[in-house]
Structure formats: structure tokens, C-alpha cells
Amino acid sequence: MVAELDGHVMRCVRDQNGNHVIQKCIECIPQNVIEFIVSTFYGQVVVLSTHPYGCRVIQRVLEHCDDPKTQQIMMDEVLQSVCLLATDQYGNYVVQHVMEHGKPHERSAIIEKLIGQIVQMSQQKFASNVIEKCLSFGNPVERQILIGEMLGSTEESEHLEVMMKDQFANYVVQKVLETCDDQQREAILTRIKAHLNTLKKYTYGKHIVARVEKLVAAGEKRLGLQPSRVLPED
């Protein structure tokens, strides 16, 4: 039955019904039998990753095809276009998948490609989800680099302040507070507290205010102190 698909693989992948059949083939049938399916994707990984159905198929290949040659080809193509995929409405799911389920060196390679663009990427609807995954699944050294970039500044403004007011980046800042170590959290909270009064005036800044108040209250509870408000009531 699978052999009947030979010559029609790409047509099936792009079809709203056919893509499910291709996914099931990849999940259930040994790779040596479906080599004709998998090899069709070589050189097409980025194109398929930015397709609503193709992105699912590429994720199945990354999950189930453990042949080193296949993994190498697929990952090389993904890594060549990390920034493009991260900012794409479908491609971002492929990058997130590698961050979540990939090998440590693959995660590191993705983070390396994104370093230097963390603040801009955090403000982009799709890429902000990728940055959150980098914070969750990167190693401590990588997380420190990412946080360091967010704590930088330009002549006009501090990166962190810009991010906290942004509709997408504010979620990245919340993820930082969730994933960082105690020392990093203290440094970030000190920075955030300086902007709390301003943040209250912004729709997205209010999310950060709520998160900070929660963290401060939890810290005081742990130390056995009486809870205090970070900000006075209006």
C-alpha cells in the first residue's frame, strides 16, 4: 500500500488529508521501507517547514527517523535557516520541536544562530515562542548569555524595559523569571522594580507587575516576612 505513494509524496504532504497518511507512514513503518518518502524531503526541508501541513511531516521525520544520515541532512537544512523559520507562522513549530526534543548540540546550534537578535526576536509573534523554548531548554551557560543580552541597552532605552511593554516580549520576560536561577532573578527584579510605576500604564506591562508582585510575595513568605505590596494602590 505504501509503495503506491511513490511519485506522489509531495502532493500528499500538501494535501489536508494526504499529509496524515504520510505522517502515519513515518510513525509506523521502518525507515528502510519508506526511504523513498524521506529522501523526497531532502533539499525541501525549509519549504516544507513553512507549509501548514509540511511542518507537521518534518516534525514526524525528526521524531521517528533515527538514521544518522537523515538526521544530519534534516538538521543541516533547519540550521541554515533558523531565523527565517523562527519568524514563520509554521516554521517556528519546527524550531521549537528541535529545542524541545533535539540533541544538546542541536539546541546549542539553534541558540548560537539566535544570539545577537534575542530582543528583536522576542518582539516577533512567532519567534517569541522560540526564544521561550531557548530559555526553557538551553543549558545554564546559554541561558546566562540570553539573559545578558536582554539586560543590555541602547542609547535610547534599556532592552528589558522595551520588552516588558511589548505584547509578545513581555511573555519572554515572564519566562526568564520562571527559568533563571536565584541570583539572576534578583538582578532582573531589581531592574524591573525601577520601572514598575511606568509599567502599570501599559496593557502588557501589567502582566509583569502581577508576576513580580507574586514573586516578591513568595520570596517574603519563604523568609517568613509580612507580605508587602511592591506598588502602592492607586
Side-chain angles (χ1 to χ4, degrees):
M1 191 165 74
V2 172
E4 293 291 320
L5 297 170
D6 204 351
H8 307 284
V9 174
M10 287 303 248
R11 195 174 120 217
C12 290
V13 169
R14 292 193 174 105
D15 182 84
Q16 64 173 338
N17 302 310
N19 82 87
H20 293 289
V21 174
I22 299 293
Q23 286 186 70
K24 200 55 75 175
C25 290
I26 295 165
E27 286 171 21
C28 303
I29 296 166
Q31 193 179 334
N32 61 320
V33 180
I34 56 160
E35 187 55 43
F36 74 90
I37 292 180
V38 177
S39 61
T40 306
F41 306 146
Y42 297 165
Q44 300 290 323
V45 175
V46 175
V47 172
L48 288 172
S49 295
T50 54
H51 186 275
Y53 310 138
C55 72
R56 300 175 193 166
V57 172
I58 295 300
Q59 287 175 72
R60 295 300 84 73
V61 174
L62 292 170
E63 271 171 28
H64 297 281
C65 300
D66 48 13
D67 170 62
K69 180 194 158 202
T70 300
Q71 286 287 329
Q72 187 69 52
I73 291 170
M74 304 296 277
M75 279 311 304
D76 283 351
E77 291 188 44
V78 168
L79 290 172
Q80 278 165 19
S81 302
V82 168
C83 294
L84 178 128
L85 291 174
T87 54
D88 182 80
Q89 61 179 328
Y90 304 114
N92 78 90
Y93 292 113
V94 173
V95 183
Q96 286 190 65
H97 186 276
V98 177
M99 283 309 304
E100 206 163 332
H101 305 287
K103 300 176 184 72
H105 72 272
E106 292 167 348
R107 291 175 181 157
S108 296
I110 285 174
I111 290 172
E112 201 174 306
K113 296 273 185 185
L114 295 171
I115 283 170
Q117 307 176 68
I118 301 303
V119 179
Q120 299 94 300
M121 287 286 187
S122 296
Q123 292 170 273
Q124 204 270 348
K125 182 177 183 177
F126 308 113
S128 62
N129 296 306
V130 172
I131 303 301
E132 285 191 45
K133 283 288 192 293
C134 292
L135 288 162
S136 296
F137 296 96
N139 64 42
V141 174
E142 289 161 347
R143 201 175 294 121
Q144 179 66 57
I145 294 168
L146 298 177
I147 292 170
E149 199 170 314
M150 292 176 203
L151 292 176
S153 60
T154 62
E155 284 179 18
E156 295 84 40
S157 60
E158 285 184 27
H159 291 161
L160 194 64
E161 185 184 0
V162 171
M163 289 176 70
M164 289 188 293
K165 294 172 185 173
D166 184 80
Q167 60 176 326
F168 306 119
N170 85 85
Y171 291 106
V172 176
V173 177
Q174 290 182 62
K175 182 60 74 174
V176 169
L177 291 169
E178 198 182 294
T179 55
C180 64
D181 62 35
D182 290 345
Q183 198 176 346
Q184 291 165 332
R185 192 175 291 111
E186 277 309 308
I188 295 160
L189 285 175
T190 303
R191 287 279 194 97
I192 293 174
K193 282 175 187 175
H195 300 288
L196 280 177
N197 278 313
T198 318
L199 287 172
K200 279 187 90 177
K201 297 168 190 161
Y202 290 84
T203 308
Y204 304 106
K206 287 175 187 171
H207 299 320
I208 303 289
V209 174
R211 177 60 67 100
V212 169
E213 290 194 333
K214 210 170 174 183
L215 282 168
V216 171
E220 288 172 343
K221 194 174 177 184
R222 205 168 54 239
L223 296 169
L225 302 171
Q226 282 296 310
S228 61
R229 283 191 60 78
V230 177
L231 286 173
E233 290 285 9
D234 287 330

